[in-house]
Amino acid sequence: MDGVYAGWSHDNGELLLVYEYMPNGSLDQHLFGAATTAAERRLLGWDLRYSIVAGVASALHYLHDEYDQKVVHRDLKASNVMLDAAFSARLGDFGLARAIETDKTSYMEEAGGGVHGTVGYIGPECFHTEKATRESDVYAFGAVVLEVVCGRRPRCDIDGFCFLVDWVWRLHRDGRVLDAVDPRLDGAFDAGDAERLLLLGLACSHPTPAERPKTMAITQILLRSTPPPEVPPFKPAFVWPAIDGGIDTTTSTASSHVSTNMTSTSTWSGNFMRGSRSHAPPTPEQDASDSVV
């Protein structure tokens, strides 16, 4: 099932999820040292990191577009990426996963249920809609990509930033994005592929859901069959309700909310395959504390 391994058992009225044994534990254990065995403490080299990201992307694409019924994972993070004996990635922990009805694009939380997931991996729009979408899964995937390349958690304190994505975006703006690569690799990485992953991670972390790449585009980028996405030098401001080409893409009908947020609408086009750099002139950078993650 393309990197998605799960089964189930119903015995004595108790429903259990059953997974294939993963001898190399979770991705989180290798990145951050929460390991007990020598194998788990192994520092992941660059080739393995790239392969793991590609494996997670393949699994997510399967859930979103290739399985008979579309599924949103809702809790994609490094600790839910399991590694088999060959360090191939398997996306696990489907305790929060939900199927999306054929004619729907999102899964709505139960009334009063709040937002599910882990801070740093949750798309900013989810705090307003309480809906899980394929776009919010892509946001979480972007956080994992940056986590794998940088060797840092999505929520961390670095150079005055509280979130990894804001720090990486600043380095991208300054033309120093490769400075974000995990220093433990001691320079042993492919610069072109590192830039590819970092730009992809930023693209997936776009504050506007409609601007994030689809899983098909993500897999093509990781296969190196298409160039990495064009990413603006300044992180676009989070706008709510979300606007796409002047059209409200949310379920809200309150047009007055739209007019109050138009001034901060992103000027970045969502066509990642176009390869153009037609951006509006840069505006003063938003302070990292203004970001909603």
Side-chain angles (χ1 to χ4, degrees), residues 10-292:
H10 189 274
D11 190 21
N12 296 325
E14 185 176 7
L15 182 63
L16 300 174
L17 287 175
V18 181
Y19 297 97
E20 177 185 355
Y21 175 60
M22 295 287 118
N24 282 310
S26 72
L27 175 60
D28 180 86
Q29 291 173 328
H30 291 276
L31 290 176
F32 305 115
T36 57
T37 68
E40 290 174 344
R41 288 194 296 270
R42 173 181 173 182
L43 177 66
L44 294 175
W46 177 253
D47 290 342
L48 278 178
R49 295 191 192 207
Y50 196 97
S51 175
I52 289 168
V53 169
V56 176
S58 177
L60 194 60
H61 179 53
Y62 175 82
L63 292 176
H64 285 187
D65 296 302
E66 295 184 328
Y67 184 53
D68 293 339
Q69 186 167 19
K70 300 184 190 309
V71 174
V72 288
H73 189 276
R74 299 205 305 159
D75 199 21
L76 202 167
K77 56 185 178 180
S79 59
N80 287 339
V81 175
M82 311 308 292
L83 304 174
D84 66 13
F87 282 88
S88 296
R90 299 286 186 268
L91 185 55
D93 196 345
F94 286 82
L96 291 180
R98 294 293 184 272
I100 303 177
E101 295 178 28
T102 306
D103 59 340
K104 304 295 184 181
T105 60
S106 66
Y107 170 80
M108 184 68 180
E109 303 290 354
E110 295 179 2
V115 178
H116 293 278
T118 304
V119 174
Y121 301 90
I122 303 173
E125 72 280 3
C126 296
F127 294 101
H128 297 266
T129 65
E130 294 192 7
K131 291 181 179 179
T133 65
R134 285 176 289 182
E135 289 77 18
S136 61
D137 270 357
V138 168
Y139 186 93
F141 173 76
V144 171
V145 172
L146 297 181
E147 198 170 10
V148 170
V149 178
C150 304
R152 302 177 187 273
R153 296 188 185 277
R155 188 172 184 177
C156 60
D157 184 8
I158 179 170
D159 290 348
F161 294 94
C162 296
F163 290 94
L164 178 62
V165 62
D166 295 316
W167 177 65
V168 176
W169 222 304
R170 169 65 70 83
L171 293 176
H172 169 59
R173 185 205 70 175
D174 295 343
R176 301 186 296 116
V177 71
L178 291 182
D179 287 356
V181 177
D182 191 343
R184 293 175 296 175
L185 291 172
D186 197 24
F189 61 90
D190 182 281
D193 278 345
E195 183 176 12
R196 176 182 296 272
L197 289 188
L198 288 166
L199 292 178
L200 176 60
L202 292 180
C204 293
S205 303
H206 195 290
T208 303
E211 296 281 5
R212 298 168 197 157
K214 306 298 184 185
T215 54
M216 174 61 79
I218 290 171
T219 55
Q220 291 174 343
I221 290 167
L222 291 170
L223 288 172
R224 306 180 183 89
S225 59
T226 58
E230 299 289 342
V231 178
F234 293 88
K235 181 181 179 180
F238 174 67
V239 180
W240 192 258
I243 309 297
D244 182 19
I247 301 175
D248 185 0
T249 59
T250 72
T251 56
S252 171
T253 58
S255 58
S256 60
H257 289 285
V258 176
S259 61
T260 60
N261 289 291
M262 283 292 289
T263 55
S264 59
T265 301
S266 166
T267 57
W268 181 25
S269 170
N271 187 349
F272 296 98
M273 300 300 106
R274 188 171 55 192
S276 67
R277 292 182 178 270
S278 57
H279 307 307
T283 57
E285 184 181 16
Q286 299 288 321
D287 187 271
S289 61
D290 294 334
S291 301
V292 181

